[in-house]
Amino acid sequence: MAAYLQWRRFVFFDKELVKEPLGNDGAAPGATPASGSAASKFLCLPPGITVCDSGRGSLVFGDMEGQIWFLPRSLQLTGFQAYKLRVTHLYQLKQHNILASVGEDEEGINPLVKIWNLEKRDGGNPLCTRIFPAIPGTEPTVVSCLTVHENLNFMAIGFTDGSVTLNKGDITRDRHSKTQILHKGNYPVTGLAFRQAGKTTHLFVVTTENVQSYIVSGKDYPRVELDTHGCGLRCSALSDPSQDLQFIVAGDECVYLYQPDERGPCFAFEGHKLIAHWFRGYLIIVSRDRKVSPKSEFTSRDSQSSDKQILNIYDLCNKFIAYSTVFEDVVDVLAEWGSLYVLTRDGRVHALQEKDTQTKLEMLFKKNLFEMAINLAKSQHLDSDGLAQIFMQYGDHLYSKGNHDGAVQQYIRTIGKLEPSYVIRKFLDAQRIHNLTAYLQTLHRQSLANADHTTLLLNCYTKLKDSSKLEEFIKTKSESEVHFDVETAIKVLRQAGYYSHALYLAENHAHHEWYLKIQLEDIKNYQEALRYIGKLPFEQAESNMKRYGKILMHHIPEQTTQLLKGLCTDYRPSLEGRSDREAPGCRANSEEFIPIFANNPRELKAFLEHMSEVQPDSPQGIYDTLLELRLQNWAHEKDPQVKEKLHAEAISLLKSGRFCDVFDKALVLCQMHDFQDGVLYLYEQGKLFQQIMHYHMQHEQYRQVITVCERHGEQDPSLWEQALSYFARKEEDCKEYVAAVLKHIENKNLMPPLLVVQTLAHNSTATLSVIRDYLVQKLQKQSQQIAQDELRVRRYREETTRIRQEIQELKASPKIFQKTKCSICNSALELPSVHFLCGHSFHQHCFESYSESDADCPTCLPENRKVMDMIRAQEQKRDLHDQFQHQLKCSNDSFSVIADYFGRGVFNKLTLLTDPPTPRLTSSLEAGLQRDLLMHSRRGT
């Protein structure tokens, strides 16, 4: 039970008398009248008003003359005669333009219920759609109350004898409506109200002594006794959904609220209740009270005056009295057009207009009633921005009073609307760090914090040394529950020295770089950092090893090398120390990790050898580095046995075939480390025979010079010439080697004898005996060649003489063809046939099948074609030679002509002429004879 004496009183309504309209344009009820002579008079209703109701944009009145009056918003009063005697009850539906009334047409006759359709007219009056007696039986009684359901399917009538009748069906038609007695009792019925909850319809019935409810939407109409307290006429009402559609019963001691199946709260509002009404969440009570007048704007009167009727407007949700005033002889209270209208017995209409929400809030702010302002704003459904403004003012008020704990709670309620910096600046003092922490925590929980807020909150935790709160803040169960910027939190915790907390965040939120930074730079836990990298996915493990590999290699070289071996061959992230063998393996580019081993040659060698063995297709850089490393070890090694082993390893690596594409690089490495065997091997592989020769010459290795010439002289004959020049320049006794060179030059005819003599002339130790055998053999061969050439000349001359005789005979004598067989098919010749001067004969069809032209003998054509090709080639060479000789003679710069011909490749093939000029002349004569013979033999028959 709530005592209303503790409730604050406010003036949230404006009271004024309703004026008559100005002219025909009218004015809204409660409008301020114009000043001066044009001011309107107060509106006065007809006398004898007995009953009132409102709805559908009008106030409805019934009087003792049987008339029903309508007062619309234009304040133009209209009416019609509804009954002959009097109107006793009215009920205006809110969702339909239907009016139900109870009245009397004759004295002592059963009252009549009439249903009016206000939208239809009958002779200028509303259409009466149904008339039926109010009392179903024969026993006379008086109607006490009336209610109609908004769906037009239920109407209940209460009587003073304690009975209630229920009309079920369409209340506007007799045919579809059924009337039955729902309730019988011993106490007069004082109030009725329908309540719709889903598909269930309840009817509240209140008498002077009890309250009960019926379920009228089903069968048998089950009844629930709710209370043994009743109320007087017009002292009950049905609340709106803000109070869950509860039935309100205003007794003299308390006001009770009821659900259909139980009693709800009650409020101790004292005084004899005359009228109860519900309006927009307010409970309006008109009561008679002889005690001290309430404090309000109403005027004081003489204590000997008549009893006052006090109208109180209660806000049950927020527990205050919104308005209180005094009236004399109130007839009824009506609600329409968003205002309350109080009808008094003198015919006046008083309008109570509610102040706007902002005005009410300002009144509460002036009295520092912020809690009440907040509740009022919520009940008025003020938007979130408006509520935030109230919370901010309330927080400012508490802050100014020194109540920092209460202030921060109000500021927390502004999160999302008020700029956080406004609040943070107020609590930056070290003594208020607890309040600031509470605000920042809520800011993060609502995911509205930025990186600066996270930094500030973590600094608060660290200054308070509140590890439990810190752990609670950072140790969330899932990523969706994180309400802060993780990276910022890691930075702050690391700076404050909370390494374990920072590591927790970095590991759980996959900030691998930060985790490794803390482990390596702050904690120096290299083993754990390496283990963590081994758990990462391939791409992240690769990037982090490139970044931190040198540090790890410096402190834990063996473990780091093992991880790099796995990363570059078949990497699988380790799960709890075991590799995930089901996941597909990946491998990194091993060449990119070589710089990590800059100061660890032993581990580098192990890594490179592992890669070359396990992964033969490793990048070329692996083999280049391995070669360089082996050459370095070989060059610095002092132990002969170890040096020999390293020598063999280096040669083996060179012979592996991995340096074909980087020949120059390998050669440079071998030369840098003076690895001569490797240099000679690479020279040989690169066919650099000249370099091999020069190497042996520089080291005066005579036998090796001869060996090189013997091995590679076929590919590069100039090696023998260089060898001869080399030995010729030596002042030592090199007869043995010179003889060997001369023997090979003679066998291969590599140099003219004159050039040989000139070359050996530079050696002061070389005597004639050195080249005597060479010269004798050379002269003998030339003599034999001369004899052979002279014999060939004589044979060519005899052949030429014979051919010329044949040519002459062909020109002067007839040719008899005596061939009897075809030269192609060897069958007997038959006409037609084809004969050639060369002596070949053919069938015509064989000739046509095999011949390429009509003028050439098919049998002689291949040989003739070869001869013709030789002739054309000789002519082209002769022309080129003649052109070269002509340009050489005519040019002022002979050397430029020779250089031009060299550039065009004319002299690419070097031919050494060691024979006398006689064969050249003989060959020229032979070619001329062959050309003449060919030209004459092409003539056919």
Side-chain angles (χ1 to χ4, degrees), residues 52-58 90-99 148-152 277-278 334-336:
C52 309
D53 204 355
S54 64
R56 306 298 293 179
S58 297
L90 291 173
Y91 191 90
Q92 173 66 56
L93 276 76
K94 305 300 185 289
Q95 299 178 11
H96 303 277
N97 210 359
I98 301 295
L99 176 67
V148 181
H149 197 287
E150 289 294 333
N151 62 11
L152 301 178
H277 193 79
W278 187 265
L334 305 176
E336 194 65 28

Side-chain angles (χ1 to χ4, degrees), residues 440 444 449-462 473 484-485 487-493 495:
L440 292 173
H444 282 81
N450 57 29
D452 294 334
H453 299 149
T454 303
T455 302
L456 188 57
L457 177 59
L458 293 175
N459 285 329
C460 291
Y461 285 141
T462 54
F473 176 73
F484 56 89
D485 183 73
E487 185 171 358
T488 302
I490 294 173
K491 292 179 182 178
V492 175
L493 292 172
Q495 185 178 5

Side-chain angles (χ1 to χ4, degrees), residues 111-129:
L112 296 177
V113 178
K114 296 184 179 181
I115 308 299
W116 307 91
N117 189 337
L118 303 181
E119 293 180 349
K120 298 180 180 180
R121 293 290 170 177
D122 181 16
N125 296 329
L127 176 64
C128 183
T129 61

Side-chain angles (χ1 to χ4, degrees), residues 380-645:
Q380 297 287 334
H381 304 290
L382 195 66
D383 60 10
S384 57
D385 293 332
L387 283 172
Q389 188 67 23
I390 299 174
F391 295 142
M392 185 192 73
Q393 294 185 34
Y394 190 17
D396 292 344
H397 171 71
L398 294 176
Y399 185 86
S400 63
K401 296 294 184 181
N403 185 0
H404 299 128
D405 293 340
V408 79
Q409 293 303 317
Q410 299 306 317
Y411 289 136
I412 286 174
R413 301 168 79 176
T414 66
I415 291 177
K417 300 297 180 181
L418 181 62
E419 177 62 35
S421 59
Y422 175 84
V423 180
I424 292 172
R425 285 194 297 268
K426 290 180 176 291
F427 296 97
L428 284 178
D429 190 351
Q431 296 179 355
R432 301 167 191 167
I433 194 170
H434 294 280
N435 304 127
L436 179 59
T437 303
Y439 179 80
L440 292 173
Q441 283 177 336
T442 308
L443 194 65
H444 282 81
R445 278 196 293 268
Q446 297 186 18
S447 301
L448 295 174
N450 57 29
D452 294 334
H453 299 149
T454 303
T455 302
L456 188 57
L457 177 59
L458 293 175
N459 285 329
C460 291
Y461 285 141
T462 54
K463 288 183 179 180
L464 292 173
K465 300 187 182 302
D466 193 346
S467 298
S468 60
K469 284 285 187 181
L470 180 59
E471 291 182 1
E472 180 184 353
F473 176 73
I474 66 174
K475 292 185 178 181
T476 52
K477 296 181 180 179
S478 63
E479 186 72 24
S480 60
E481 297 180 7
V482 177
H483 304 293
F484 56 89
D485 183 73
V486 175
E487 185 171 358
T488 302
I490 294 173
K491 292 179 182 178
V492 175
L493 292 172
R494 183 190 182 196
Q495 185 178 5
Y498 284 79
Y499 299 128
S500 60
H501 297 79
L503 286 174
Y504 174 85
L505 282 179
E507 184 173 9
N508 281 272
H509 299 282
H511 286 263
H512 309 307
E513 295 182 5
W514 283 107
Y515 184 91
L516 294 173
K517 279 184 179 180
I518 297 171
Q519 288 284 16
L520 296 174
E521 299 175 8
D522 300 321
I523 304 179
K524 311 293 185 183
N525 191 344
Y526 305 105
Q527 293 282 359
E528 182 61 27
L530 190 65
R531 181 198 63 80
Y532 185 81
I533 293 176
K535 297 192 304 181
L536 297 179
F538 171 73
E539 293 80 4
Q540 296 167 354
E542 180 185 20
S543 62
N544 282 290
M545 280 305 296
K546 291 178 181 178
R547 179 172 299 178
Y548 302 109
K550 288 186 178 181
I551 299 176
L552 294 171
M553 183 62 67
H554 177 71
H555 292 89
I556 46 174
E558 294 183 2
Q559 297 90 326
T560 306
T561 303
Q562 288 299 322
L563 179 58
L564 286 174
K565 288 179 181 179
L567 187 65
C568 297
T569 52
D570 188 20
Y571 177 77
R572 291 181 174 87
S574 61
L575 302 175
E576 298 298 330
R578 294 176 295 175
S579 297
D580 184 6
R581 295 299 175 187
E582 298 181 358
C586 302
R587 66 182 188 182
N589 185 354
S590 52
E591 186 177 1
E592 297 177 354
F593 295 97
I594 292 177
I596 293 176
F597 298 90
N599 299 318
N600 300 80
R602 183 170 61 87
E603 284 76 17
L604 175 59
K605 182 180 179 183
F607 174 73
L608 296 175
E609 290 178 347
H610 172 80
M611 295 306 303
S612 62
E613 294 173 3
V614 177
Q615 189 177 320
D617 60 339
S618 296
Q620 184 61 41
I622 293 294
Y623 293 94
D624 295 343
T625 309
L626 181 58
L627 176 61
E628 183 178 4
L629 190 62
R630 287 183 176 179
L631 291 176
Q632 285 179 356
N633 295 338
W634 173 84
H636 295 90
E637 183 59 48
K638 302 300 182 181
D639 189 346
Q641 293 182 353
V642 178
K643 193 176 186 71
E644 183 64 25
K645 181 181 177 182

Side-chain angles (χ1 to χ4, degrees), residues 130 153 167-178:
R130 183 183 179 193
N153 288 324
N167 285 267
K168 192 172 183 180
D170 189 352
I171 65 169
T172 63
R173 299 180 182 180
D174 289 326
R175 186 176 301 175
H176 300 92
S177 180
K178 180 181 179 181

